[in-house]
Amino acid sequence: MFAAERRQLILEMVRANGAVSLRELARVVQTSEVTVRRDVRALEAEGLLDRRHGGAVLPGGFTRESGFPQKSHLSTAEKTAIADLAAGLVGEGEAIVVGAGTTTQELARRLARVPGLTVVTNSLLVAQALAHANRVEVVMTGGTLRGSNYALVGSGAEQSLQGLRVSRAFLSGSGLTAERGLSTSNMLSASVDRALVEAAAEVVVLADHTKLGADTMFQTVPTDLITRLVTDEPPLHDERAAAELQALADQGVEVTVAGPEPDASAGEAPPGERRPRREMPLPGQRRTTTRNGGLGPQLRSASSLSDQASPGERARVADLRRR
């Protein structure tokens, strides 16, 4: 395929989907990611698209948000890997909040097997995924339906979350940086996500590698309030993604990276370990940010999914937040 043909196909894919990863573009045009990156750079110079970390978007990416049909076809394998690992964080009888998004929808499908679980959500997609789980109680917020992502937003959604206290919030977004934290392109969605965070003792962000380094208009969760990040394995040549992951770990975020698919011949892994994970190498002692803003040196595993807080610890965290 000639360069002009490749670039025309790349442009058509971005226009059709709003945002496409370099990995997916390379697969479709049947060339290397290095070549695709050069093509994307050339198209950006012509003002036809914008480069984003790990992919390409239509111009105006800071304010433009892709709808559900577009997002549902992006990074599907990565979202599956992330959801498999994140499900291992949730135990029997817990109460959690789950925000809107295609990755959180994948998580919800796996939570249907957790007995005694209570899930509070503003997402119709999350609620639908759990609708037939007879051992899971689903609590919907109020609010106004936002059709582009099937989420309830506005003052009704935020007011329904007041006074709520749960163990964890699971959120995704449009971008994640160590400097600014999690962000999204829509003001109403950002406001509800902040209310979800206020209701939780811990915040778990689910973001595939294409979100790393991307910064969108409205901040939802600052970095010092993110307890864990569950992401996928970035491409080997993607030094920016690796640097962003290390920067997040240096600021006290526990980073868990899903590895490749396990060997099917080895049999099914136990729940919470369905996919391999690797630990981020941490530079000696790292700081851990507590909910009351205090900092203390503490050595912690970057992928300690099984290291859950005790009920007493959760109560102390919740008490700090109420103060």
Side-chain angles (χ1 to χ4, degrees):
M1 188 180 295
F2 293 110
E5 294 176 309
R6 281 199 317 271
R7 292 171 186 177
Q8 182 61 34
L9 181 55
I10 289 170
L11 190 58
E12 290 174 359
M13 288 182 63
V14 173
R15 285 173 175 169
N17 296 287
V20 186
S21 68
L22 292 177
R23 184 181 297 173
E24 182 65 13
L25 289 172
R27 185 188 67 81
V28 173
V29 301
Q30 297 182 342
T31 188
S32 68
E33 290 187 32
V34 174
T35 300
V36 167
R37 188 177 288 105
R38 285 199 298 266
D39 291 337
V40 168
R41 191 177 293 116
L43 290 168
E44 182 184 46
E46 297 179 39
L48 298 174
L49 51 74
D50 287 344
R51 281 186 300 161
R52 286 290 178 267
H53 184 61
V57 300
L58 289 177
F62 263 91
T63 56
R64 186 185 186 282
E65 182 183 30
S66 301
F68 170 76
Q70 292 79 29
K71 289 182 179 180
S72 62
H73 296 295
L74 296 176
S75 305
T76 53
E78 290 86 348
K79 292 171 184 176
T80 299
I82 291 167
D84 282 345
L85 283 183
L89 286 170
V90 183
E92 181 177 345
E94 279 198 69
I96 62 174
V97 294
V98 179
T102 52
T103 310
T104 52
Q105 180 189 25
E106 286 295 323
L107 171 64
R109 290 176 176 140
R110 287 147 182 81
L111 296 180
R113 301 187 294 265
V114 181
L117 183 65
T118 300
V119 177
V120 181
T121 185
N122 70 318
S123 169
L124 299 186
L125 298 175
V126 169
Q128 183 185 42
L130 294 167
H132 300 292
N134 55 17
R135 297 182 296 176
V136 179
E137 180 179 0
V138 180
V139 179
M140 294 289 298
T141 68
T144 303
L145 177 63
R146 185 165 179 258
S148 62
N149 64 346
Y150 301 94
L152 297 171
V153 298
S155 59
E158 295 169 41
Q159 289 173 9
S160 66
L161 293 165
Q162 292 180 2
L164 181 71
R165 185 65 58 196
V166 298
S167 58
R168 293 180 186 85
F170 291 87
L171 299 174
S172 59
S174 302
L176 177 64
T177 65
E179 178 181 2
R180 194 158 172 255
L182 190 67
S183 61
T184 189
S185 303
N186 182 266
M187 180 175 65
L188 294 175
S189 296
S191 186
V192 174
D193 281 354
R194 286 192 287 267
L196 292 172
V197 169
E198 285 297 315
E202 294 184 0
V203 177
V204 181
V205 171
L206 312 181
D208 65 75
H209 73 274
T210 64
K211 308 289 180 63
L212 298 174
D215 194 9
T216 51
M217 195 168 183
F218 299 98
Q219 182 192 58
T220 56
V221 191
T223 305
D224 62 350
L225 291 185
I226 299 174
T227 310
R228 290 181 173 90
L229 165 65
V230 184
T231 186
D232 65 291
E233 186 78 47
L236 292 177
H237 64 268
D238 198 341
E239 297 179 359
R240 288 183 58 189
E244 201 70 54
L245 288 177
Q246 188 62 59
L248 287 162
D250 290 343
Q251 294 197 38
V253 179
E254 294 185 24
V255 179
T256 304
V257 182
E261 282 278 5
D263 185 358
S265 63
E268 186 175 0
E273 298 286 346
R274 296 186 184 278
R275 294 174 185 266
R277 64 173 186 255
R278 69 174 176 86
E279 298 184 359
M280 288 288 298
L282 301 182
Q285 285 191 320
R286 49 180 291 217
R287 68 178 192 173
T288 299
T289 305
T290 60
R291 285 290 183 172
N292 64 350
L295 296 175
Q298 183 180 1
L299 281 174
R300 302 181 69 179
S301 167
S303 62
S304 54
L305 286 182
S306 61
D307 184 19
Q308 306 299 323
S310 67
E313 288 172 337
R314 293 175 190 159
R316 285 194 294 273
V317 172
D319 182 61
L320 285 171
R321 296 201 60 195
R322 284 194 292 271
R323 294 179 188 177

